[in-house]
C-alpha cells in the first residue's frame, strides 16, 4: 500500500465518518426530542447543516476540532431559536 493510497483512504474514511455522524445525529434527535420541540423540517435542516459544516471543516488543511464544536453549537441554537 503506497503512501498516496493510504492518504486517500484515510480522507475517504474521515468523510464517511462525518456522514455517519450526521445520520446518527438526525436519528438521535428524532428519538429523544419530541415533535413539539423540534419538528421534522428542523431536524433535517439541523442534521444536514451540521454534517455539511463538518465536511467543509474536515477538508481544510488545518486542525478545526474546536472550531467545529463552536460552529455546531451556534447552528443548534440558531435552529432552536431563530427558525420558526
Amino acid at each position: 500500500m503506497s503512501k498516496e493510497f493510504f492518504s486517500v483512504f484515510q480522507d475517504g474514511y474521515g468523510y464517511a465518518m462525518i456522514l455517519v455522524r450526521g445520520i446518527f445525529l438526525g436519528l438521535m434527535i428524532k428519538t429523544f426530542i419530541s415533535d413539539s420541540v423540534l419538528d421534522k423540517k428542523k431536524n433535517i435542516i439541523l442534521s444536514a447543516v451540521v454534517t455539511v459544516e463538518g465536511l467543509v471543516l474536515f477538508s481544510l488543511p488545518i486542525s478545526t476540532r474546536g472550531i467545529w464544536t463552536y460552529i455546531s453549537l451556534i447552528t443548534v441554537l440558531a435552529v432552536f431559536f431563530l427558525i420558526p
Side-chain angles (χ1 to χ4, degrees):
M1 180 183 302
S2 68
K3 185 176 180 179
E4 293 82 20
F5 177 74
F6 181 75
S7 177
V8 169
F9 178 78
Q10 188 176 17
D11 286 344
Y13 177 77
Y15 288 121
M17 286 299 104
I18 291 171
L19 292 173
V20 168
R21 188 178 357 183
I23 292 168
F24 279 139
L25 174 66
L27 292 174
M28 290 296 170
I29 289 172
K30 184 177 179 182
T31 302
F32 292 109
I33 297 179
S34 67
D35 289 337
S36 63
V37 175
L38 190 68
D39 61 351
K40 186 175 182 178
K41 175 184 155 188
K42 286 185 181 180
N43 182 9
I44 292 170
I45 290 171
L46 183 62
S47 298
V49 170
V50 170
T51 302
V52 169
E53 289 170 354
L55 290 170
V56 169
L57 291 174
F58 182 76
S59 65
L60 295 176
I62 58 173
S63 176
T64 57
R65 209 172 276 204
I67 296 170
W68 187 69
T69 303
Y70 290 123
I71 292 174
S72 296
L73 175 65
I74 292 168
T75 302
V76 169
L77 292 174
V79 167
F80 272 101
F81 294 114
L82 298 178
I83 297 176

